[in-house]
Amino acid sequence: MTREADFIARLRAIATHPAARGLADDAAVLPLSGEIVLTHDMLVEGVHFLPTDPPGDVAWKLVAVNLSDLAAKGAAPIGALMGYGFTGDPGWDAAFAEGLARALTTFGLPLLGGDTVAMPATAPRTLGLTAIGQAPASGAPSRAGARPGDRLWVTGSVGDAGIGLAIARGVANGPAALLERYRRPVPRLGLGAALAPLAHAMADMSDGLLIDAARMAAASDVAIEIALEAIPLSPALRATAGDGREARIAAASAGDDYELLIAAPIEAQEAIRAAAEQAGLPISPVGTFTAGAGIRLNDRGEPLPLPARLGFEHDG
Amino acid sequence: MTREADFIARLRAIATHPAARGLADDAAVLPLSGEIVLTHDMLVEGVHFLPTDPPGDVAWKLVAVNLSDLAAKGAAPIGALMGYGFTGDPGWDAAFAEGLARALTTFGLPLLGGDTVAMPATAPRTLGLTAIGQAPASGAPSRAGARPGDRLWVTGSVGDAGIGLAIARGVANGPAALLERYRRPVPRLGLGAALAPLAHAMADMSDGLLIDAARMAAASDVAIEIALEAIPLSPALRATAGDGREARIAAASAGDDYELLIAAPIEAQEAIRAAAEQAGLPISPVGTFTAGAGIRLNDRGEPLPLPARLGFEHDG
């Protein structure tokens, strides 16, 4: 059995859903109805993950970043198609397949199809995943629906993955929990589904709180004012980087957290807090949308200059 | 405007379908109902296309190879998501975007979303497309439904793209029509939809007639016997390579033709010919399925040894 055939046999063992047709057909075929959410995100070695990241964690991340897009639309996962480039390391491929099986099982996401291709041995590992989900009955909230007076909420904690990346690169020390946040982000599927009916706008936070909030404001044709002191930091981050202004600005402009940003009217406040409590996750109001354009940053009422870099802009 | 921003602006100008949400949201959102067909194929420079292939033709091929999978299931295109890796050549990117717009317009395929990522400058260009289609009311035929006694049909002509690839590589001379078959394959969408209700099994022919016919037979748990003399060769191929046994075997084991293979009972013969006539394409019976396993090759009744290489096996 060639190494490719071995990998494909592993994928076939994962792809037991009837719509996958045993990965032996030209395409997946499945019944769908209603509003469907579709996303496709790629991961490239050296750009989105480090050559030293464990292959199983890369598989997890490939699944998680796509499911995070579904979570941001309040959608329930239906299935996925994967594009996988072989780069001549059967051990890596096998460990990836194991991690993929674990991630798909964790999130109940059937593998329905895709493509495996040979790549030149010098090419960076390149992966793509298309995730398909069912929009909530209330409709998939857009990124563009924030209105003046809406509050901006963020789930979980901010900045952990940024320090996790520094730990993975060997340029910082810190607890394993922060490394884990970088390597194995958890898409907020349940909470996303609960928040969607309450939100004017939703998006996931992949490139940084400041940049993703600014994008939501720009798409919605409004301005956003962020309260630095309200940004939720985890105990692990505070123990590592402290809780000063510098640490907070770094957290607010770091990527890879995959939390959700939600724009919602003040009246939704109690329902939002109740949804988060039920999901067992913190949720924090971190800003206010106003008429106008652009992003402003305050610290306990004091206007601050924006950092030169609002977040990660690797790919527009 | 950065080169990435320029490319994304071009994609936004293409992605006018409301489900694309201006490519400014986390995901595409669209209403679907019934049996949906989903496929994802990647193209890698140096593996699936040549560095010298014109970028607009690479875009065409990315769209066409995915639509060919839909055609093989009799499906009507609904939309596509693209994954695109920037490799630092804005001229190439711009020409690709122009070719993409042309291909999508030609096939009426809305661009609904996807991802653009930075790649290291040394990486081969890597592209992925997910195509979504509506299965025919009669259901999407599987690759695995051929039965003993069924005839194997092939649309169009066989082997043109193989010579076209040799022309593109500069190792053969021949008419532009053959190069065009390699660079700009035409998915058989209309004919695929017309044949689906008549077929026991359907697949597209991307890796070669012999290998793809053998795969259909293996998936269906039957044997296939191919009549070499019945394989349809184009006038351009015959003028270039002749019509001898060697040329026919080369044509039958060459890839990239993107014609359709159809297994159907003898009684469907007239309806199949009528569908092909209406589509303005030739269709030819080239073999017979029998009980058993494997592939056999005859030339006017004389059994031939199989060629060492049945087709293209780049990626399992």
Side-chain angles (χ1 to χ4, degrees), chain B residues 152-160 181 205 209 226-235 237-238 243 248 251-252 257 259-261 282-287:
Chain B
L152 175 67
W153 300 78
V154 63
T155 61
S157 57
V158 172
D160 291 345
R181 281 294 306 269
M205 205 176 73
L209 171 62
I226 303 281
L228 191 70
E229 75 281 7
I231 292 174
L233 304 185
S234 70
L237 185 142
R238 273 184 270 124
D243 197 355
R248 289 188 160 267
D257 281 324
E259 297 290 355
L260 298 180
L261 292 174
I283 196 159
S284 312
V286 295

Side-chain angles (χ1 to χ4, degrees), chain A residues 24-25 30 36 73 130 143, chain B residues 24-25 30 36 73 130 143:
Chain A
D25 210 330
L30 78 167
I36 302 299
K73 304 298 105 182
T130 299
R143 183 197 299 255
Chain B
D25 210 330
L30 78 167
I36 302 298
K73 304 297 106 181
T130 299
R143 184 196 299 255

